[in-house]
Amino acid sequence: LQKYRELDDYGKKSVNDLLNNEYERVTQMKKYQEATVFPTIPKVLYGCSPSAGIGNYLPDDISESLIMIPDTPQNRKADYVLKVDGQSMEPKYKDGELVLVKRQDQVEIGEVGIYLINGDAVIKEYQGNYLHSLNKEFPDIIFNEDADVHCMGKVLGKIK
């Protein structure tokens, strides 16, 4: 302000013109950013995590909460969201990532699903008579006649 006060009329006008131009630019940029905010939709996030490994026990009283996710065609197809626990599905699905799940009782070969195996929840790729781990450091889960296996849904992708 001290420097401004020492300017002559021409200098003060130049500074005011620059200040007005910058103010207009920032105001327009804020309006643009507000206009490009993406709408969101609510989805249920269950408090259990399917294991990307050997399985996580699925309790009877699973907590649930609502989260807001971007309103996209893929996200609208999802019935619920789960958090991945473990590394067996890396690099596609990493530990801690949120995946979108569509409720259905079977998936096609090569698709990733959420499964209950003897009460444990896992996320795996279906291969007909076994569930495949994408990370080669983890074993596949081979179906046997004693196993109680149920598909809980198809993984549509992850929240980006």
Side-chain angles (χ1 to χ4, degrees), residues 34-137:
E34 291 172 3
T36 58
V37 171
F38 296 103
T40 58
I41 55 174
K43 290 292 176 183
V44 173
L45 171 65
Y46 287 108
C48 67
S49 296
S51 172
I54 59 169
N56 283 343
Y57 174 71
L58 191 64
D60 291 332
D61 58 340
I62 300 170
S63 65
E64 60 182 72
S65 59
L66 283 180
I67 62 169
M68 301 304 289
I69 63 174
D71 184 8
T72 66
Q74 175 176 285
N75 291 355
R76 275 186 240 122
K77 292 177 187 174
D79 292 310
Y80 57 94
V81 176
L82 295 172
K83 183 178 181 181
V84 175
D85 179 25
Q87 293 92 28
S88 76
M89 293 302 286
E90 289 184 356
K92 190 169 186 175
Y93 299 106
K94 297 181 178 136
D95 184 42
E97 288 185 319
L98 298 177
V99 292
L100 301 157
V101 183
K102 179 173 177 37
R103 255 185 210 100
Q104 54 189 65
D105 58 4
Q106 63 184 20
V107 298
E108 299 294 323
I109 291 177
E111 292 180 330
V112 175
I114 304 297
Y115 293 89
L116 283 183
I117 303 173
N118 300 324
D120 292 333
V122 297
I123 175 173
K124 297 290 179 192
E125 181 182 82
Y126 179 66
Q127 288 298 327
N129 58 349
Y130 69 96
L131 297 176
H132 178 63
S133 297
L134 299 180
N135 184 338
K136 303 222 183 292
E137 293 181 23

Side-chain angles (χ1 to χ4, degrees), residues 4-17:
Y4 180 82
R5 290 184 185 124
E6 293 184 26
L7 296 175
D8 62 11
D9 288 341
Y10 178 80
K12 287 179 181 177
K13 183 181 178 331
S14 296
V15 169
N16 285 335
D17 288 343

